[in-house]
Amino acid sequence: MLRVHFTDADLARTRMGAVSDPLWDIAISLHRLQTSQGRWAHAEWYRSVRVRLREEGLERAVRRVLLPLYPRAAYFPDFLTPYAASEGLDSGLEAVLAAPERRVRDEIGRLDLVVGAPAWAAGLGERAAREDLVRLLRAYHDTAVAPYEDQVHARIEAERAARARAIRDGGVEGMLAGLGPWARWERPVLHTDYQPSVDRDLRLGGRGILLVPSYFLLQRPLSFADPGLPPVLVYPLVHEAPATPAAVRERAALAALLGPARAAALRAVVHGATTGEIARAAGVSLSAASRHATVLRDAGLITSSRQGPAVLHTLTPAGAAVLRAGRRPGAG
């Protein structure tokens, strides 16, 4: 269990990451490669990434270097997921390079105590060794994460839209109360599921916290082990069960048959929209907007969730793909 203690100042300084964090994406996707638990949620990714890693000649380096540094366990080094990565991959990798030697050695030592670290890992205190590591991390990101950025971005945007609505309807506390089944808000503490072997309190002390939704994470959130680092809570998205082949065929057929009103309804959902907002954007009645939303949802192009008295509709990756296809030169 992780208990995050908020003050009023922390509530005012709570924010959500604008995009997926690339260094956390690297770390958590490596966790996905280490377990079959929940594989259905990333089955296509898992199959294709294993092939890509083999084709790019990275399979052995991932197995011998990255997996031991990022164990799916109670601990892996904080310097591998620097706060600066919230500004992008380059910033994050620069922060890995700039990590103080003593900090790196201390964190590798802790990794060794918790789960065991390879003998070569102690050498990461030297910048030259971290330069090799950074090149490998970039190659892994280019192979296993970057090809899926559109899909990840669509899910993150849908999550951000849902959380923004929650803040508008219930403030930051309302948003915290609705984060997911893994969290429980009891003012002034957010209780979250965590690594089973870990029980800890994170006292924000006026620093606020950055909430980072993660496409690759399942079940329970993650945070820095060092309470002195800027507070971050990386939390899982809710993944829907995979569609059957018949459902996939139906969705493809319906996407090809979208008419002007439903296309307008789909465009209105790009940043999240209620049924009333769809009606205004598409120039149709509320009942017609509700029917359009139902059809788009049944086709797998949007998802719908209740946010207080309203229903919020957001794009799925399939819906985002339909819109992108419609914007290509010569489309439609």
Side-chain angles (χ1 to χ4, degrees):
M1 174 71 70
L2 172 68
R3 292 170 294 275
V4 185
H5 297 257
F6 288 75
T7 65
D8 288 344
D10 295 311
L11 291 171
R13 294 183 178 123
T14 293
R15 64 189 184 92
M16 179 168 287
V19 294
S20 189
D21 184 302
L23 270 293
W24 279 107
D25 283 344
I26 288 173
I28 299 168
S29 66
L30 286 165
H31 291 169
R32 297 275 64 78
L33 293 176
Q34 297 176 59
T35 179
S36 60
Q37 184 179 13
R39 186 165 292 167
W40 62 266
H42 305 94
E44 190 276 331
W45 174 87
Y46 179 81
R47 286 191 298 268
S48 63
V49 161
R50 291 191 66 186
V51 173
R52 288 172 182 268
L53 291 174
R54 193 176 307 119
E55 291 176 344
E56 295 297 325
L58 293 172
E59 191 174 36
R60 185 171 182 222
V62 167
R63 185 174 62 252
R64 297 188 63 184
V65 177
L66 296 186
L67 296 186
L69 286 179
Y70 296 83
R72 188 173 175 269
Y75 178 79
F76 66 88
D78 288 331
F79 82 88
L80 295 172
T81 51
Y83 192 85
S86 61
E87 299 175 7
L89 179 64
D90 291 340
S91 296
L93 294 179
E94 282 297 325
V96 172
L97 280 177
E101 178 180 345
R102 180 173 179 178
R103 176 190 171 190
V104 173
R105 293 189 186 279
D106 287 348
E107 292 186 2
I108 293 297
R110 181 172 179 178
L111 175 67
D112 192 40
L113 288 174
V114 174
V115 294
W120 54 261
L124 290 173
E126 301 294 332
R127 183 180 174 93
R130 267 177 286 136
E131 288 174 348
D132 290 338
L133 174 62
V134 161
R135 281 191 288 271
L136 177 56
L137 290 174
R138 188 181 293 278
Y140 175 82
H141 183 273
D142 290 346
T143 303
V145 178
Y148 294 85
E149 284 181 342
D150 284 349
Q151 184 172 344
V152 172
H153 179 72
R155 290 299 310 275
I156 297 298
E157 279 299 301
E159 174 66 11
R160 281 171 52 81
R163 296 304 131 225
R165 294 281 176 159
I167 290 174
R168 191 179 75 179
D169 294 339
V172 174
E173 292 189 63
M175 182 270 290
L176 292 173
L179 276 175
W182 47 267
R184 184 178 78 258
W185 173 250
E186 294 180 355
R187 180 180 175 86
V189 180
L190 181 68
H191 303 255
T192 80
D193 294 340
Y194 209 59
Q195 278 285 344
S197 62
V198 176
D199 186 81
R200 60 177 290 216
D201 291 271
L202 175 58
R203 300 184 186 278
L204 301 181
R207 296 173 294 170
I209 192 167
L210 176 64
L211 302 174
V212 180
S214 171
Y215 173 80
F216 293 103
L217 189 59
L218 295 175
Q219 294 184 311
R220 51 183 176 255
L222 295 172
S223 187
F224 291 133
D226 182 352
L229 292 172
V232 170
L233 188 70
V234 184
Y235 70 89
L237 300 177
V238 176
H239 291 270
E240 298 178 355
T244 64
V248 171
R249 288 193 296 271
E250 289 173 4
R251 291 177 181 182
L254 183 59
L257 294 172
L258 281 179
R262 283 179 190 151
L266 190 62
R267 287 193 294 272
V269 176
V270 168
H271 299 296
T274 63
T275 306
E277 288 167 342
I278 290 176
R280 290 191 291 274
V284 298
S285 67
L286 189 62
S287 60
S290 180
R291 289 194 299 272
H292 290 323
T294 298
V295 171
L296 294 171
R297 182 172 60 252
D298 290 345
L301 302 180
I302 68 172
T303 59
S304 304
S305 60
R306 184 159 291 281
Q307 303 288 323
V311 175
L312 178 67
H313 309 285
T314 54
L315 286 179
T316 65
V322 169
L323 284 180
R324 286 196 303 275
R327 295 189 187 112
R328 290 172 189 156

